[in-house]
Amino acid sequence: MVKVDIYRKDNRIYKLEIYDHAGSGDYGFDLVCAAVSAISIGALNALDQMNVDADLEMDPSPYVKMEVLDDQNDYLQFVYYQLKSIESSYAQYISIREKEEVR
């Protein structure tokens, strides 16, 4: 199951972490993993191209982290909505947990 941790402060998403495999299909044919990968890689590329002050990580384990250091913008909200739409159709393969944190 893909796990997504959403971190909020003052109702603003400042960090998200994505890890593990969906297991919805054979390797190379897992549509949930493919969708999550496309969303996360697209977001990483967009944040990088827009020169957003962010800590971005990705490794093949799989693990993706996006932490926006700019307190004035909610750049990660669009990623959240995309992942929530996958969860609404494939809840058995993706779990989104939301945490309110003080940093």
Side-chain angles (χ1 to χ4, degrees):
M1 174 178 284
V2 173
K3 295 174 186 76
V4 180
D5 292 334
I6 304 290
Y7 298 88
R8 295 178 185 270
K9 181 179 180 196
D10 300 326
N11 204 32
R12 184 186 68 79
I13 298 171
Y14 70 89
K15 178 171 76 171
L16 63 84
E17 294 177 296
I18 304 168
Y19 50 97
D20 287 343
H21 292 281
S24 70
D26 293 333
Y27 182 78
F29 296 92
D30 190 327
L31 296 179
V32 174
C33 272
V36 171
S37 294
I39 290 167
S40 59
I41 292 169
L44 287 168
N45 288 336
L47 292 167
D48 184 53
Q49 291 294 310
M50 294 175 2
N51 294 313
V52 172
D53 187 14
D55 180 13
L56 307 174
E57 292 181 35
M58 183 176 89
D59 73 43
S61 62
Y63 174 76
V64 173
K65 179 178 105 172
M66 294 175 234
E67 182 172 3
V68 174
L69 305 173
D70 178 353
D71 287 346
Q72 303 304 308
N73 292 294
D74 199 3
Y75 291 110
L76 299 177
Q77 193 69 35
F78 74 96
V79 180
Y80 170 76
Y81 288 132
Q82 290 175 315
L83 293 171
K84 286 298 280 184
S85 70
I86 294 172
E87 185 187 43
S88 71
S89 297
Y90 300 98
Q92 68 270 36
Y93 301 112
I94 181 170
S95 172
I96 298 175
R97 298 182 296 188
E98 301 189 39
K99 305 172 182 186
E100 184 76 20
E101 282 196 358
V102 176
R103 44 176 189 155

XYZ file of all heavy atoms in Angstrom:
833
model
N 0.838 -1.182 0.000
C 0.000 0.000 0.000
C 0.882 1.244 0.000
O 1.834 1.335 0.764
C -0.905 0.004 1.229
C -1.713 1.279 1.365
S -2.842 1.326 2.751
C -4.114 0.270 2.136
N 0.564 2.201 -0.868
C 1.249 3.489 -0.856
C 0.775 4.248 0.376
O -0.419 4.305 0.665
C 0.931 4.313 -2.134
C 1.511 5.717 -2.026
C 1.455 3.617 -3.377
N 1.730 4.813 1.089
C 1.404 5.614 2.265
C 1.820 7.054 2.003
O 2.911 7.307 1.487
C 2.101 5.053 3.494
C 1.605 3.662 3.851
C 2.406 3.071 4.988
C 2.004 1.652 5.232
N 2.527 0.707 4.261
N 0.934 7.962 2.348
C 1.197 9.390 2.176
C 0.977 10.059 3.524
O -0.086 9.901 4.134
C 0.252 10.023 1.125
C 0.549 11.505 0.964
C 0.340 9.289 -0.207
N 1.984 10.760 4.002
C 1.859 11.539 5.229
C 1.831 13.010 4.857
O 2.733 13.509 4.174
C 3.025 11.266 6.182
C 3.002 9.857 6.748
O 1.910 9.268 6.833
O 4.080 9.350 7.112
N 0.774 13.683 5.283
C 0.583 15.113 5.021
C 0.812 15.853 6.331
O 0.191 15.522 7.341
C -0.855 15.392 4.522
C -1.186 14.565 3.281
C -1.089 16.879 4.314
C -0.463 14.959 2.037
N 1.677 16.845 6.317
C 1.979 17.635 7.510
C 1.450 19.048 7.317
O 1.756 19.697 6.321
C 3.488 17.672 7.757
C 4.082 16.308 8.004
C 4.513 15.517 6.941
C 4.207 15.817 9.294
C 5.059 14.265 7.168
C 4.754 14.559 9.523
C 5.172 13.790 8.461
O 5.706 12.550 8.676
N 0.666 19.496 8.289
C 0.079 20.836 8.228
C 0.520 21.668 9.417
O 0.735 21.156 10.500
C -1.445 20.761 8.259
C -2.067 20.099 7.067
C -3.598 20.045 7.230
N -4.208 19.315 6.159
C -4.629 19.854 5.019
N -4.510 21.150 4.825
N -5.176 19.111 4.079
N 0.585 22.932 9.190
C 0.742 23.922 10.257
C -0.185 25.065 9.906
O -0.142 25.590 8.785
C 2.175 24.414 10.365
C 2.336 25.409 11.494
C 3.747 25.903 11.636
C 3.764 26.892 12.792
N 4.964 27.684 12.786
N -1.037 25.420 10.853
C -2.023 26.488 10.621
C -2.853 26.189 9.379
O -3.109 27.061 8.556
C -1.340 27.856 10.497
C -0.562 28.216 11.743
O -1.009 27.845 12.851
O 0.498 28.855 11.625
N -3.240 24.925 9.225
C -4.079 24.446 8.126
C -3.425 24.561 6.751
O -4.080 24.465 5.727
C -5.452 25.130 8.131
C -6.482 24.274 7.442
O -6.417 23.043 7.481
N -7.427 24.897 6.783
N -2.108 24.766 6.706
C -1.378 24.852 5.449
C -0.461 23.643 5.337
O 0.256 23.305 6.272
C -0.539 26.129 5.402
C 0.173 26.353 4.087
C 1.099 27.565 4.144
N 2.231 27.370 5.017
C 3.348 26.684 4.709
N 3.461 26.132 3.520
N 4.330 26.553 5.560
N -0.503 22.966 4.212
C 0.383 21.823 3.997
C 1.787 22.356 3.726
O 1.995 23.125 2.794
C -0.087 20.965 2.808
C -1.481 20.394 3.087
C 0.919 19.843 2.536
C -2.114 19.709 1.902
N 2.724 21.948 4.559
C 4.107 22.374 4.336
C 5.017 21.204 3.954
O 6.111 21.405 3.444
C 4.670 23.124 5.548
C 4.913 22.270 6.771
C 6.128 21.625 6.970
C 3.923 22.126 7.730
C 6.344 20.843 8.084
C 4.137 21.356 8.855
C 5.346 20.716 9.031
O 5.552 19.940 10.140
N 4.552 19.955 4.212
C 5.394 18.816 3.858
C 4.516 17.615 3.543
O 3.459 17.429 4.147
C 6.331 18.471 5.015
C 7.212 17.259 4.753
C 8.294 17.057 5.811
C 7.772 16.497 7.099
N 8.844 16.114 8.053
N 4.979 16.810 2.598
C 4.350 15.510 2.382
C 5.425 14.495 2.074
O 6.471 14.809 1.524
C 3.264 15.547 1.314
C 3.583 15.901 -0.124
C 4.078 14.699 -0.891
C 2.329 16.422 -0.766
N 5.166 13.276 2.518
C 6.056 12.153 2.280
C 5.245 11.016 1.679
O 4.130 10.753 2.119
C 6.706 11.679 3.578
C 7.645 12.707 4.178
C 8.219 12.257 5.502
O 7.434 12.095 6.461
O 9.447 12.067 5.560
N 5.807 10.376 0.674
C 5.144 9.272 -0.026
C 6.107 8.088 -0.010
O 7.289 8.248 -0.359
C 4.818 9.658 -1.485
C 3.970 10.926 -1.531
C 4.122 8.503 -2.205
C 3.844 11.542 -2.910
N 5.603 6.911 0.375
C 6.479 5.742 0.407
C 5.685 4.450 0.254
O 4.463 4.441 0.380
C 7.327 5.715 1.691
C 6.540 5.912 2.961
C 6.134 4.828 3.718
C 6.194 7.184 3.404
C 5.411 4.992 4.884
C 5.469 7.362 4.566
C 5.086 6.268 5.299
O 4.357 6.446 6.448
N 6.394 3.376 -0.047
C 5.888 2.020 -0.241
C 5.216 1.840 -1.604
O 4.999 2.792 -2.345
C 4.952 1.578 0.874
C 5.696 1.273 2.168
O 6.923 1.084 2.114
O 5.057 1.241 3.233
N 4.913 0.586 -1.910
C 4.311 0.198 -3.188
C 2.825 -0.079 -3.012
O 2.402 -0.582 -1.975
C 4.985 -1.061 -3.739
C 6.398 -0.837 -4.158
N 6.730 -0.248 -5.353
C 7.567 -1.108 -3.532
C 8.047 -0.180 -5.448
N 8.577 -0.684 -4.358
N 2.050 0.186 -4.041
C 0.600 -0.037 -3.976
C 0.258 -1.518 -3.981
O -0.613 -1.968 -3.238
C -0.105 0.667 -5.133
N 0.896 -2.278 -4.838
C 0.575 -3.695 -4.947
C -0.748 -3.958 -5.644
O -1.370 -4.995 -5.440
N -1.176 -3.030 -6.484
C -2.456 -3.211 -7.189
C -2.304 -3.986 -8.489
O -3.290 -4.292 -9.146
C -3.116 -1.858 -7.472
O -2.400 -1.132 -8.452
N -1.064 -4.289 -8.857
C -0.817 -5.051 -10.079
C 0.616 -5.531 -10.105
O 1.419 -5.184 -9.237
N 0.933 -6.336 -11.086
C 2.296 -6.827 -11.237
C 3.251 -5.674 -11.511
O 2.847 -4.605 -12.006
C 2.376 -7.827 -12.394
C 1.618 -9.111 -12.105
O 1.469 -9.457 -10.910
O 1.174 -9.756 -13.075
N 4.538 -5.903 -11.217
C 5.560 -4.899 -11.474
C 5.469 -4.456 -12.934
O 5.415 -5.285 -13.840
C 6.950 -5.467 -11.179
C 8.046 -4.462 -11.381
C 8.294 -3.484 -10.433
C 8.812 -4.469 -12.540
C 9.297 -2.543 -10.621
C 9.819 -3.546 -12.736
C 10.056 -2.582 -11.776
O 11.040 -1.651 -11.969
N 5.436 -3.149 -13.121
C 5.317 -2.595 -14.466
C 3.888 -2.428 -14.939
O 3.640 -1.819 -15.978
N 2.941 -2.980 -14.186
C 1.522 -2.894 -14.561
C 0.662 -2.377 -13.413
O -0.554 -2.538 -13.427
C 1.006 -4.264 -15.020
C 1.683 -4.755 -16.254
C 2.810 -5.556 -16.172
C 1.222 -4.372 -17.510
C 3.462 -5.990 -17.312
C 1.864 -4.807 -18.655
C 2.990 -5.615 -18.558
N 1.284 -1.789 -12.424
C 0.580 -1.282 -11.245
C 0.124 0.152 -11.527
O 0.913 1.096 -11.458
C 1.512 -1.330 -10.034
C 0.815 -1.047 -8.725
O -0.144 -0.253 -8.716
O 1.235 -1.625 -7.710
N -1.137 0.301 -11.855
C -1.662 1.612 -12.248
C -1.687 2.614 -11.105
O -1.502 3.810 -11.330
C -3.052 1.461 -12.857
C -3.104 0.657 -14.157
C -4.536 0.552 -14.670
C -2.198 1.263 -15.209
N -1.915 2.156 -9.882
C -1.921 3.078 -8.740
C -0.514 3.624 -8.520
O -0.333 4.835 -8.358
C -2.494 2.410 -7.474
C -2.364 3.324 -6.267
C -3.950 2.018 -7.695
N 0.485 2.745 -8.533
C 1.868 3.220 -8.391
C 2.240 4.172 -9.532
O 2.895 5.184 -9.308
C 2.854 2.048 -8.350
S 3.133 1.388 -6.711
N 1.812 3.846 -10.727
C 2.117 4.706 -11.872
C 1.496 6.089 -11.704
O 2.140 7.109 -11.973
C 1.628 4.059 -13.161
N 0.261 6.129 -11.232
C -0.418 7.420 -11.036
C 0.268 8.237 -9.943
O 0.524 9.439 -10.114
C -1.886 7.196 -10.696
N 0.566 7.594 -8.825
C 1.235 8.299 -7.721
C 2.620 8.773 -8.160
O 3.027 9.896 -7.854
C 1.305 7.401 -6.464
C 2.182 8.031 -5.391
C -0.096 7.134 -5.923
N 3.335 7.938 -8.898
C 4.657 8.322 -9.396
C 4.575 9.525 -10.332
O 5.375 10.459 -10.230
C 5.316 7.154 -10.126
O 5.598 6.114 -9.237
N 3.617 9.504 -11.235
C 3.463 10.625 -12.179
C 3.153 11.923 -11.438
O 3.729 12.977 -11.750
C 2.369 10.305 -13.190
N 2.263 11.851 -10.474
C 1.910 13.051 -9.698
C 3.119 13.559 -8.924
O 3.435 14.751 -8.949
C 0.734 12.756 -8.760
C -0.549 12.564 -9.566
C 0.572 13.857 -7.711
C -1.691 11.962 -8.776
N 3.813 12.656 -8.221
C 4.912 13.098 -7.367
C 6.109 13.588 -8.179
O 6.695 14.621 -7.855
C 5.320 11.998 -6.383
O 5.713 10.839 -7.047
N 6.463 12.901 -9.253
C 7.586 13.351 -10.078
C 7.251 14.661 -10.781
O 8.081 15.566 -10.863
C 8.010 12.256 -11.066
C 8.622 11.088 -10.292
C 8.991 12.793 -12.113
C 8.843 9.831 -11.097
N 6.017 14.792 -11.246
C 5.595 16.064 -11.841
C 5.666 17.208 -10.849
O 6.113 18.309 -11.179
N 5.255 16.959 -9.618
C 5.305 18.001 -8.585
C 6.744 18.354 -8.233
O 7.082 19.542 -8.086
C 4.548 17.546 -7.344
N 7.601 17.349 -8.084
C 9.021 17.615 -7.809
C 9.626 18.478 -8.910
O 10.330 19.460 -8.633
C 9.796 16.304 -7.693
C 9.589 15.465 -6.442
C 10.203 14.083 -6.626
C 10.171 16.151 -5.219
N 9.361 18.112 -10.159
C 9.896 18.886 -11.286
C 9.349 20.307 -11.297
O 10.085 21.263 -11.544
C 9.580 18.184 -12.611
C 10.403 16.939 -12.808
O 11.479 16.784 -12.243
N 9.889 16.020 -13.608
N 8.063 20.464 -11.029
C 7.453 21.799 -11.030
C 8.042 22.672 -9.929
O 8.388 23.835 -10.165
C 5.934 21.687 -10.872
N 8.152 22.127 -8.719
C 8.714 22.903 -7.612
C 10.152 23.300 -7.905
O 10.571 24.430 -7.608
C 8.624 22.108 -6.307
C 7.212 21.881 -5.774
C 7.222 20.830 -4.667
C 6.585 23.177 -5.290
N 10.909 22.402 -8.508
C 12.287 22.701 -8.872
C 12.349 23.783 -9.949
O 13.111 24.748 -9.831
C 12.984 21.424 -9.346
C 14.447 21.640 -9.649
O 15.166 22.172 -8.773
O 14.887 21.274 -10.762
N 11.552 23.650 -10.993
C 11.549 24.625 -12.096
C 11.070 26.004 -11.647
O 11.505 27.014 -12.196
C 10.683 24.124 -13.253
C 11.263 22.926 -13.972
C 12.561 23.279 -14.685
O 12.642 24.255 -15.414
N 13.592 22.485 -14.448
N 10.166 26.036 -10.677
C 9.641 27.320 -10.179
C 10.559 27.943 -9.134
O 10.271 29.012 -8.612
C 8.242 27.119 -9.573
C 7.223 26.722 -10.609
S 5.551 26.310 -10.022
C 5.522 26.555 -8.307
N 11.681 27.264 -8.843
C 12.646 27.751 -7.851
C 12.005 28.006 -6.487
O 12.325 28.980 -5.811
C 13.374 28.999 -8.357
C 14.242 28.691 -9.545
O 14.987 27.717 -9.543
N 14.124 29.503 -10.584
N 11.086 27.123 -6.105
C 10.447 27.220 -4.797
C 11.475 26.842 -3.739
O 12.236 25.880 -3.912
C 9.218 26.285 -4.728
C 8.649 26.223 -3.332
C 8.167 26.732 -5.728
N 11.514 27.589 -2.656
C 12.393 27.275 -1.539
C 11.853 26.010 -0.870
O 10.880 26.065 -0.114
C 12.436 28.445 -0.555
C 13.461 28.244 0.546
O 14.320 27.339 0.422
O 13.407 28.997 1.544
N 12.454 24.868 -1.205
C 11.917 23.597 -0.737
C 13.032 22.573 -0.569
O 14.074 22.661 -1.214
C 10.884 23.072 -1.734
N 12.763 21.613 0.305
C 13.624 20.450 0.485
C 12.945 19.315 -0.264
O 11.855 18.874 0.125
C 13.765 20.139 1.975
C 14.657 18.945 2.255
O 15.379 18.490 1.338
O 14.631 18.458 3.403
N 13.547 18.879 -1.354
C 12.963 17.848 -2.212
C 13.859 16.617 -2.201
O 15.072 16.732 -2.390
C 12.820 18.367 -3.639
C 12.080 19.695 -3.813
C 12.140 20.149 -5.268
C 10.654 19.577 -3.334
N 13.260 15.452 -1.978
C 14.026 14.202 -1.968
C 13.255 13.131 -2.722
O 12.029 13.109 -2.706
C 14.230 13.693 -0.537
C 15.120 14.533 0.320
C 15.285 13.953 1.716
O 15.318 12.702 1.852
O 15.355 14.741 2.659
N 14.015 12.242 -3.349
C 13.414 11.087 -4.003
C 14.465 9.986 -4.046
O 15.629 10.251 -4.341
C 12.977 11.437 -5.420
C 12.282 10.302 -6.134
S 11.661 10.776 -7.759
C 13.074 10.403 -8.769
N 14.048 8.764 -3.705
C 14.945 7.626 -3.870
C 14.125 6.431 -4.333
O 12.902 6.431 -4.228
C 15.787 7.355 -2.615
C 15.003 6.759 -1.464
O 14.179 5.849 -1.675
O 15.230 7.194 -0.331
N 14.784 5.414 -4.853
C 14.060 4.288 -5.455
C 13.444 3.302 -4.478
O 12.886 2.298 -4.897
C 15.133 3.608 -6.319
C 16.420 3.966 -5.683
C 16.215 5.334 -5.080
N 13.446 3.574 -3.188
C 12.969 2.584 -2.219
C 11.475 2.212 -2.287
O 11.161 1.110 -1.865
C 13.332 3.028 -0.809
O 12.734 4.224 -0.462
N 10.480 2.884 -2.679
C 10.395 4.276 -3.109
C 10.120 5.215 -1.934
O 9.453 4.854 -0.971
C 9.207 4.279 -4.048
C 8.290 3.238 -3.505
C 9.194 2.190 -2.902
N 10.635 6.417 -2.081
C 10.411 7.459 -1.081
C 10.472 8.808 -1.773
O 11.389 9.069 -2.565
C 11.465 7.405 0.020
C 11.371 8.534 1.015
C 10.384 8.537 1.991
C 12.255 9.600 0.962
C 10.288 9.578 2.896
C 12.167 10.641 1.862
C 11.183 10.620 2.840
O 11.080 11.661 3.726
N 9.500 9.660 -1.488
C 9.478 11.029 -1.999
C 9.137 11.950 -0.841
O 8.229 11.674 -0.061
C 8.421 11.213 -3.122
C 8.294 12.678 -3.519
C 8.759 10.352 -4.322
N 9.895 13.027 -0.720
C 9.589 14.059 0.279
C 9.579 15.411 -0.405
O 10.478 15.728 -1.191
C 10.623 14.065 1.399
C 10.338 15.159 2.450
C 11.349 15.124 3.570
C 12.307 16.264 3.425
N 13.223 16.440 4.546
N 8.545 16.183 -0.119
C 8.458 17.569 -0.565
C 8.150 18.405 0.669
O 7.104 18.237 1.288
C 7.328 17.748 -1.580
C 7.545 17.025 -2.873
S 6.112 17.163 -3.962
C 5.807 15.431 -4.284
N 9.074 19.272 1.027
C 8.862 20.169 2.161
C 9.098 21.598 1.687
O 10.213 21.966 1.326
C 9.796 19.835 3.319
C 9.559 20.719 4.527
C 10.350 20.285 5.751
O 11.137 19.334 5.661
O 10.162 20.920 6.803
N 8.039 22.376 1.674
C 8.124 23.763 1.219
C 8.512 24.627 2.408
O 7.855 24.601 3.449
C 6.792 24.226 0.595
C 6.832 25.706 0.269
C 6.501 23.403 -0.656
N 9.589 25.390 2.251
C 10.113 26.208 3.334
C 9.538 27.621 3.318
O 9.744 28.385 4.247
C 11.641 26.236 3.254
C 12.288 24.839 3.240
C 13.779 24.940 2.991
C 11.973 24.076 4.510
N 8.806 27.950 2.276
C 8.165 29.263 2.121
C 6.831 29.249 2.866
O 5.889 28.573 2.454
C 7.954 29.529 0.629
C 7.247 30.835 0.334
O 6.791 31.514 1.269
O 7.146 31.173 -0.851
N 6.742 29.977 3.974
C 5.520 29.978 4.798
C 4.353 30.733 4.166
O 3.244 30.685 4.677
C 5.807 30.601 6.166
C 6.634 29.688 7.045
O 6.765 28.493 6.711
O 7.162 30.162 8.056
N 4.586 31.431 3.072
C 3.548 32.277 2.494
C 2.723 31.582 1.415
O 1.729 32.126 0.960
C 4.169 33.549 1.914
C 4.959 34.354 2.926
C 4.129 34.719 4.148
O 3.046 35.258 4.021
N 4.625 34.393 5.323
N 3.140 30.415 0.981
C 2.455 29.767 -0.137
C 2.079 28.329 0.200
O 2.735 27.677 0.998
C 3.339 29.779 -1.386
C 3.513 31.170 -1.923
O 2.551 31.765 -2.367
N 4.713 31.701 -1.862
N 1.026 27.859 -0.421
C 0.542 26.500 -0.210
C 0.717 25.703 -1.496
O -0.238 25.247 -2.101
C -0.919 26.540 0.235
C -1.356 25.258 0.898
O -0.515 24.348 1.075
O -2.538 25.145 1.230
N 1.957 25.555 -1.916
C 2.267 24.891 -3.178
C 1.845 23.418 -3.203
O 1.616 22.870 -4.265
C 3.766 24.958 -3.460
C 4.278 26.331 -3.786
C 5.100 27.017 -2.900
C 3.962 26.942 -4.993
C 5.589 28.272 -3.204
C 4.441 28.198 -5.301
C 5.258 28.856 -4.408
O 5.736 30.097 -4.707
N 1.776 22.775 -2.062
C 1.516 21.342 -2.027
C 0.037 20.984 -2.033
O -0.314 19.809 -2.121
C 2.205 20.719 -0.806
C 3.726 20.870 -0.804
C 4.310 20.281 0.470
C 4.334 20.222 -2.030
N -0.830 21.957 -1.975
C -2.273 21.682 -1.952
C -2.717 20.949 -3.222
O -3.533 20.040 -3.165
C -3.065 22.987 -1.790
C -4.515 22.776 -1.457
C -4.740 22.219 -0.060
O -4.028 22.545 0.875
N -5.727 21.368 0.085
N -2.168 21.312 -4.377
C -2.573 20.653 -5.623
C -2.160 19.183 -5.623
O -2.890 18.331 -6.127
C -2.026 21.379 -6.854
C -0.553 21.187 -7.106
C -0.112 20.219 -7.994
C 0.388 21.978 -6.465
C 1.248 20.034 -8.225
C 1.738 21.796 -6.691
C 2.173 20.822 -7.579
N -1.017 18.848 -5.033
C -0.574 17.458 -4.947
C -1.527 16.675 -4.041
O -1.936 15.559 -4.361
C 0.872 17.362 -4.409
C 1.318 15.922 -4.314
C 1.825 18.174 -5.271
N -1.911 17.296 -2.952
C -2.851 16.683 -2.006
C -4.166 16.317 -2.697
O -4.651 15.190 -2.578
C -3.099 17.653 -0.847
C -4.212 17.257 0.074
C -4.038 16.242 1.014
C -5.440 17.902 0.020
C -5.066 15.881 1.871
C -6.462 17.550 0.867
C -6.276 16.539 1.793
O -7.292 16.189 2.633
N -4.739 17.243 -3.445
C -6.012 16.969 -4.128
C -5.876 15.850 -5.157
O -6.773 15.023 -5.313
C -6.568 18.223 -4.791
C -7.114 19.234 -3.816
C -6.761 20.566 -3.905
C -7.995 18.851 -2.808
C -7.257 21.501 -3.006
C -8.496 19.770 -1.908
C -8.127 21.092 -2.013
O -8.618 22.009 -1.132
N -4.765 15.807 -5.861
C -4.557 14.740 -6.838
C -4.465 13.378 -6.146
O -5.072 12.405 -6.595
C -3.303 15.013 -7.657
C -3.458 16.183 -8.597
C -2.172 16.499 -9.308
O -1.103 16.539 -8.706
N -2.263 16.712 -10.614
N -3.719 13.312 -5.065
C -3.582 12.043 -4.339
C -4.900 11.628 -3.688
O -5.234 10.439 -3.647
C -2.462 12.146 -3.302
C -1.056 12.306 -3.878
C -0.055 12.614 -2.776
C -0.634 11.081 -4.674
N -5.667 12.599 -3.184
C -6.976 12.292 -2.593
C -7.915 11.701 -3.639
O -8.730 10.828 -3.328
C -7.615 13.535 -1.959
C -7.019 13.977 -0.656
C -7.154 12.947 0.454
C -8.532 12.965 1.076
N -8.640 12.030 2.225
N -7.822 12.143 -4.883
C -8.694 11.598 -5.926
C -8.338 10.138 -6.211
O -9.228 9.325 -6.476
C -8.643 12.443 -7.198
O -7.403 12.315 -7.845
N -7.062 9.790 -6.126
C -6.667 8.388 -6.281
C -7.185 7.579 -5.094
O -7.736 6.489 -5.261
C -5.143 8.252 -6.418
C -4.669 8.902 -7.714
C -4.726 6.777 -6.391
C -3.173 8.995 -7.836
N -7.031 8.129 -3.895
C -7.498 7.428 -2.698
C -9.004 7.182 -2.735
O -9.479 6.131 -2.295
C -7.129 8.219 -1.442
C -7.490 7.486 -0.157
C -7.283 8.333 1.076
O -7.654 9.530 1.059
O -6.768 7.793 2.073
N -9.762 8.111 -3.279
C -11.220 7.937 -3.314
C -11.640 6.768 -4.199
O -12.671 6.145 -3.968
C -11.917 9.226 -3.754
O -11.687 9.477 -5.117
N -10.830 6.438 -5.193
C -11.147 5.313 -6.081
C -10.424 4.024 -5.716
O -10.900 2.939 -6.044
C -10.787 5.668 -7.525
O -11.558 6.752 -7.971
N -9.269 4.142 -5.059
C -8.423 2.972 -4.795
C -7.952 2.945 -3.343
O -6.764 2.752 -3.070
C -7.220 2.972 -5.742
C -7.598 2.922 -7.192
C -7.646 4.082 -7.961
C -7.930 1.713 -7.792
C -8.008 4.050 -9.297
C -8.300 1.657 -9.126
C -8.334 2.833 -9.872
O -8.707 2.786 -11.193
N -8.870 3.099 -2.406
C -8.515 3.194 -0.982
C -7.796 1.951 -0.461
O -7.072 2.026 0.525
C -9.763 3.469 -0.153
N -7.969 0.825 -1.112
C -7.284 -0.392 -0.655
C -5.798 -0.381 -1.024
O -5.038 -1.220 -0.539
C -7.975 -1.654 -1.187
C -7.863 -1.865 -2.678
C -8.988 -1.219 -3.489
O -9.484 -0.144 -3.166
N -9.385 -1.886 -4.556
N -5.364 0.593 -1.858
C -3.976 0.631 -2.317
C -3.220 1.901 -1.933
O -2.023 1.999 -2.172
C -3.915 0.481 -3.839
C -4.524 -0.806 -4.318
C -5.699 -0.801 -5.053
C -3.931 -2.028 -4.014
C -6.271 -1.993 -5.490
C -4.495 -3.223 -4.445
C -5.668 -3.193 -5.177
O -6.222 -4.377 -5.603
N -3.920 2.886 -1.351
C -3.265 4.135 -0.953
C -3.936 4.650 0.318
O -5.161 4.637 0.431
C -3.303 5.196 -2.082
C -2.578 6.477 -1.644
C -4.689 5.447 -2.583
C -2.358 7.488 -2.772
N -3.097 5.078 1.253
C -3.590 5.602 2.524
C -2.970 6.971 2.767
O -1.739 7.115 2.716
C -3.208 4.648 3.651
O -3.496 5.211 4.903
N -3.806 7.954 3.026
C -3.323 9.305 3.296
C -3.613 9.640 4.749
O -4.760 9.593 5.190
C -3.986 10.334 2.356
C -3.625 10.007 0.909
C -3.556 11.755 2.730
C -4.322 10.877 -0.123
N -2.537 9.962 5.479
C -2.669 10.352 6.887
C -2.300 11.831 7.002
O -1.319 12.276 6.417
C -1.732 9.523 7.757
C -2.023 8.040 7.715
C -1.114 7.268 8.605
N 0.279 7.391 8.117
C 1.299 6.706 8.588
N 1.123 5.856 9.574
N 2.508 6.852 8.099
N -3.095 12.539 7.763
C -2.854 13.965 7.934
C -2.468 14.253 9.369
O -3.072 13.732 10.303
C -4.097 14.750 7.529
C -4.477 14.482 6.075
C -5.556 15.388 5.569
O -5.543 16.592 5.911
O -6.404 14.899 4.823
N -1.448 15.084 9.528
C -0.930 15.410 10.833
C -0.778 16.919 10.966
O -0.234 17.566 10.075
C 0.437 14.758 11.039
C 0.412 13.248 10.830
C 1.817 12.694 10.842
C 1.766 11.190 10.592
N 3.076 10.578 10.721
N -1.240 17.452 12.054
C -1.036 18.867 12.368
C 0.198 18.934 13.251
O 0.260 18.279 14.285
C -2.246 19.456 13.083
C -2.155 20.925 13.359
C -2.397 21.820 12.145
O -2.993 21.346 11.158
O -1.989 22.987 12.211
N 1.191 19.688 12.824
C 2.440 19.761 13.565
C 2.813 21.192 13.859
O 2.424 22.111 13.156
C 3.581 19.124 12.775
C 3.586 17.641 12.817
C 4.925 17.066 12.368
O 5.835 17.836 11.998
O 5.048 15.851 12.405
N 3.600 21.321 14.895
C 4.218 22.596 15.201
C 5.690 22.410 14.891
O 6.316 21.476 15.369
C 4.029 22.973 16.688
C 4.752 24.261 17.010
C 2.553 23.049 17.027
N 6.205 23.280 14.040
C 7.617 23.136 13.711
C 8.395 24.316 14.177
O 7.926 25.296 14.609
C 7.849 22.907 12.223
C 7.070 23.768 11.301
C 7.463 23.519 9.870
N 6.788 24.556 9.116
C 7.171 24.999 7.980
N 8.195 24.503 7.401
N 6.506 25.943 7.363
